[in-house]
Structures are given as structure tokens and as C-alpha cells.
Amino acid sequence: MSRLTGLSAHTLRYYEKVGMLEGVARNEQGYRAYSEADVAWVQFLVVLRELDIPIREMKRYSDLRSQGPATVHERRLMLEAHRSRVEAQMRKLSGNLEKIAGKIKYYKEMEEELVIKTNS
């Protein structure tokens, strides 16, 4: 599972401990035997983390998921709200990148002027 998801065994055990990864089967030797559904769920948790969703919100989402289809609407609203936050962050980052690009262009022009003055 660690190899498939990029998460450490410690993180996977933590997700189990707090209830975000429930019902993981064990084989005869007592090792965890993750199902394809477990892998898909953990990969989704990774996506949530990469989008900077706090653990407490991931836990809330996971709890709602455990309650079944009756919570689909609330889960969708959670994801839509976070998507809006991420989109706002992306717009802000894009604006900041444009400012940096402008500053880089300004410095390149300054460097070119210095080269011309030095060679004159």
C-alpha cells in the first residue's frame, strides 16, 4: 500500500487509528490485506492531503462516507467548498507568478543595459 500510494506505513496506521481507513482485512499471518477499494480510498485521501485539506476535514469527510449514501449531498458540498478555495488560491498564485515574471523581465533588461554600458 505504501508503494501504491506514496504514504508511509506510519501514516497508513494513523489513518486506521483515527478511523479514516476502516475494515482493513488481515491475512493468516496478521498482515494487513488491502483490497482494491482500500487502495482507491487511500489514493483519494492522498488527493485530499495534496489539496491541503486539513486532517480534521478529511476525518469529517471519511465519517460521512462511512455513514453511506445519505451523506452524499454533504460530502459534495464539502468538496465544492474546498474546490472554490483551491481555485481562489490558484488565481492568487497565477497573479503572483505574473508579478515575478515581470520582475524577471525587468532584471534581464537591466542586465542587458549594464552589458551595453560596460562594452561602450
Side-chain angles (χ1 to χ4, degrees), residues 23-87:
V24 176
R26 301 275 181 154
N27 65 18
E28 303 82 42
Q29 293 80 27
Y31 293 107
R32 289 168 180 83
Y34 295 103
S35 67
E36 287 183 32
D38 293 330
V39 173
W41 172 240
V42 172
Q43 288 172 332
F44 185 69
L45 290 174
V46 169
V47 168
L48 296 180
R49 270 317 278 150
E50 288 177 350
L51 288 172
D52 291 328
I53 292 182
I55 292 288
R56 70 181 179 286
E57 284 187 43
M58 289 173 58
K59 173 67 171 123
R60 181 169 166 252
Y61 184 90
S62 177
D63 290 345
L64 290 169
R65 177 181 175 263
S66 295
Q67 294 172 30
T71 64
V72 166
H73 178 74
E74 192 172 352
R75 286 183 272 163
R76 180 181 57 79
L77 291 177
M78 284 181 72
L79 293 176
E80 287 176 346
H82 194 73
R83 179 182 61 190
S84 293
R85 289 190 297 270
V86 169
E87 288 170 345

Side-chain angles (χ1 to χ4, degrees), residues 103-119:
K103 188 60 85 171
I104 290 169
K105 181 181 175 191
Y106 173 72
Y107 288 148
K108 284 182 178 181
E109 290 168 357
M110 286 180 66
E111 289 173 338
E112 288 172 8
E113 288 177 21
L114 288 171
V115 169
I116 291 171
K117 286 182 182 178
T118 305
N119 292 333

